[in-house]
Amino acid sequence: MVNKEKVCISKRSRMSLSMLWLLMFLVIAAGCSSGSGSNELDSKSSSLADSPASSNQAAGDVAAKTEQSSTEGSEEHLTADNNTGGGAAAEANAAVKDRKLIYSANLVMEVKDYEAAKQRIQDMIHLSGGYILEFNDQYSEYERAGIFKIKVPAQGFQSMLEQLNKLEHLRYERNYSATDVTEEYVDLAARLKVAKVEEARLLSFMEQAKNTSDLLKFSQDLAASQEKIERIQGRMNYLDQNVAMSTIELRLYETLKQGNEPSALEKTFGERLGGTLQASVESLINLLQGLVLLLAAMLPYLIVLLIIGLPVLWIVKRSQQHRNERYKERQKEMMELNQKMLAQHHVGEAEDDQSSKPDENETDSEK
């Protein structure tokens, strides 16, 4: 507003100066015409007589122009004020539209038919343009359940919640929230702009580098700057994706049993006896199955051991047989040698006996 008033004042001063210059021009023109003849003097007098009128007319024209300029300035000032107000309102509306909000919801739903409800939910997700980010099935003797993690477009977040609420259910819990990441996104955008300016400055320095050490230093700084840019850009992309796609976590379940079965103390002796026998038979069957599974698991190892062990066993037996045969042969040789030695010993004794008998005969004859 102050700038507009200054502009209006400067316009008025320029118009006043223009009026003064015009009056001075008229006075100079009248003085130059006074050196002429009588006709010229008459004409001068007439011109002098007309000059006040012309000056008054010029002054009136200047005043009219001044008033017109002031009127135009005031109109421009009002128009600027209106434009400023409209611009502020437009900026406020644009700021509301440009807010970065991440929507998320948590739902718990109990249904009569789990499979039918699960199929309906999958169809709804497909029609909404979303997708299932994660899904887990849970089955027990008491319930069948599934946990969905769903991504849907942010424009269809509320309509998706309403469609889920319209499903036939026995129990329904819902809570959802929005996280405003506008401030973080604006800060990241400012940091990204500064990082890009720094990158451009480092590139210009690298082009002007005259030695290797400066070039190496600038390249290292440039790599760090580019890494910062990639990190900021990655975070901004992550925020954009989460703003564009909202998250819904849903637990869907169907109750199968209410826990009304009689306890072990309420059962009769026959029921407990039959249960005990049944449990014993099942445990025996489980034991036999475990043994079979153990043998089946060990079968490949047994086959490998047989393939390797049979040749080794055959070689060991053959070597044992050879050793036994050689031992027997040695025993036989030893026995033969002993027999020969005994035979030679007996022959020697017989010879000794025969040599001793003639000596005895000679002794007897001498006697």
Side-chain angles (χ1 to χ4, degrees):
M1 184 181 294
V2 175
N3 293 330
K4 293 293 183 180
E5 290 177 355
K6 289 182 179 179
V7 171
C8 293
I9 292 170
S10 62
K11 287 184 178 179
R12 291 176 183 175
S13 61
R14 284 197 296 271
M15 294 300 296
S16 300
L17 290 173
S18 301
M19 181 181 67
L20 291 175
W21 281 107
L22 181 60
L23 290 174
M24 290 176 66
F25 177 77
L26 291 175
V27 171
I28 293 169
C32 292
S33 61
S34 61
S36 301
S38 59
N39 293 330
E40 292 178 357
L41 184 59
D42 294 336
S43 65
K44 174 185 177 277
S45 60
S46 63
S47 65
L48 288 172
D50 294 336
S51 61
S54 62
S55 63
N56 292 332
Q57 184 178 0
D61 293 339
V62 170
K65 290 180 180 180
T66 303
E67 291 178 357
Q68 183 178 0
S69 63
S70 63
T71 304
E72 291 176 353
S74 62
E75 291 177 354
E76 290 176 357
H77 181 67
L78 293 174
T79 304
D81 290 341
N82 293 331
N83 291 334
T84 303
E91 289 178 359
N93 294 330
V96 172
K97 291 181 180 178
D98 292 340
R99 297 199 73 81
K100 301 289 185 179
L101 300 176
I102 299 175
Y103 294 98
S104 61
N106 290 301
L107 307 177
V108 178
M109 186 184 298
E110 181 181 1
V111 294
K112 293 181 179 180
D113 189 352
Y114 170 74
E115 295 296 335
K118 182 173 73 172
Q119 186 62 42
R120 285 283 308 279
I121 290 172
Q122 290 175 351
D123 295 339
M124 290 163 56
I125 294 169
H126 178 71
L127 293 175
S128 67
Y131 58 91
I132 298 175
L133 185 63
E134 185 178 348
F135 175 73
N136 291 319
D137 260 331
Q138 297 175 351
Y139 291 94
S140 68
E141 58 179 343
Y142 299 106
E143 69 174 16
R144 289 184 296 175
I147 299 175
F148 295 82
K149 190 171 184 181
I150 307 166
K151 285 287 189 178
V152 295
Q155 296 83 359
F157 176 71
Q158 292 292 342
S159 62
M160 185 66 181
L161 293 180
E162 293 175 359
Q163 291 179 14
L164 290 172
N165 191 18
K166 291 178 182 179
L167 286 175
E168 184 179 358
H169 56 268
L170 302 176
R171 176 170 170 258
Y172 183 75
E173 295 180 6
R174 179 180 72 176
N175 62 80
Y176 61 92
S177 62
T179 304
D180 191 353
V181 295
T182 307
E183 184 177 356
E184 181 184 0
Y185 194 88
V186 172
D187 179 62
L188 289 172
R191 289 167 56 191
L192 180 63
K193 185 176 180 180
V194 172
K196 287 186 176 180
V197 171
E198 182 182 2
E199 181 188 18
R201 182 169 58 83
L202 290 172
L203 287 172
S204 65
F205 287 166
M206 287 183 66
E207 293 177 356
Q208 298 174 4
K210 295 181 179 180
N211 51 48
T212 307
S213 61
D214 292 342
L215 184 62
L216 181 60
K217 183 178 182 302
F218 291 146
S219 65
Q220 292 175 353
D221 294 341
L222 180 63
S225 179
Q226 289 175 347
E227 182 181 358
K228 185 193 300 182
I229 291 172
E230 291 176 358
R231 186 167 58 252
I232 295 172
Q233 191 66 56
R235 178 63 180 173
M236 292 178 70
N237 293 337
Y238 172 79
L239 293 177
D240 286 333
Q241 292 173 1
N242 281 274
V243 168
M245 300 295 290
S246 301
T247 306
I248 299 175
E249 293 186 3
L250 169 65
R251 185 178 186 274
L252 184 73
Y253 70 97
E254 174 191 357
T255 303
L256 300 178
K257 294 181 181 180
Q258 300 296 331
N260 294 326
E261 292 185 352
S263 62
L265 296 176
E266 296 175 353
K267 293 181 180 180
T268 63
F269 177 75
E271 291 175 347
R272 284 184 286 170
L273 181 61
T276 304
L277 291 174
Q278 184 179 0
S280 301
V281 172
E282 289 178 356
S283 63
L284 179 61
I285 292 173
N286 292 330
L287 177 61
L288 295 175
Q289 290 177 352
L291 292 174
V292 173
L293 292 175
L294 179 62
L295 291 175
M298 293 178 62
L299 184 61
Y301 299 98
L302 293 175
I303 292 173
V304 173
L305 290 175
L306 288 174
I307 292 173
I308 298 174
L310 287 176
V312 173
L313 184 62
W314 182 79
I315 293 170
V316 171
K317 286 185 175 181
R318 290 285 297 176
S319 62
Q320 187 69 29
Q321 288 177 359
H322 286 305
R323 285 198 295 270
N324 292 333
E325 290 176 357
R326 287 197 298 270
Y327 179 74
K328 290 178 180 179
E329 290 176 357
R330 290 175 183 173
Q331 290 289 335
K332 187 177 180 180
E333 290 175 356
M334 291 293 293
M335 291 176 65
E336 291 178 354
L337 182 60
N338 289 331
Q339 289 176 0
K340 288 181 180 180
M341 291 177 66
L342 288 172
Q344 291 177 358
H345 179 68
H346 290 306
V347 171
E349 288 180 350
E351 290 178 353
D352 292 337
D353 291 337
Q354 289 178 2
S355 62
S356 62
K357 284 181 181 181
D359 294 334
E360 290 177 354
N361 294 327
E362 290 177 358
T363 303
D364 291 336
S365 63
E366 288 178 355
K367 287 180 178 181

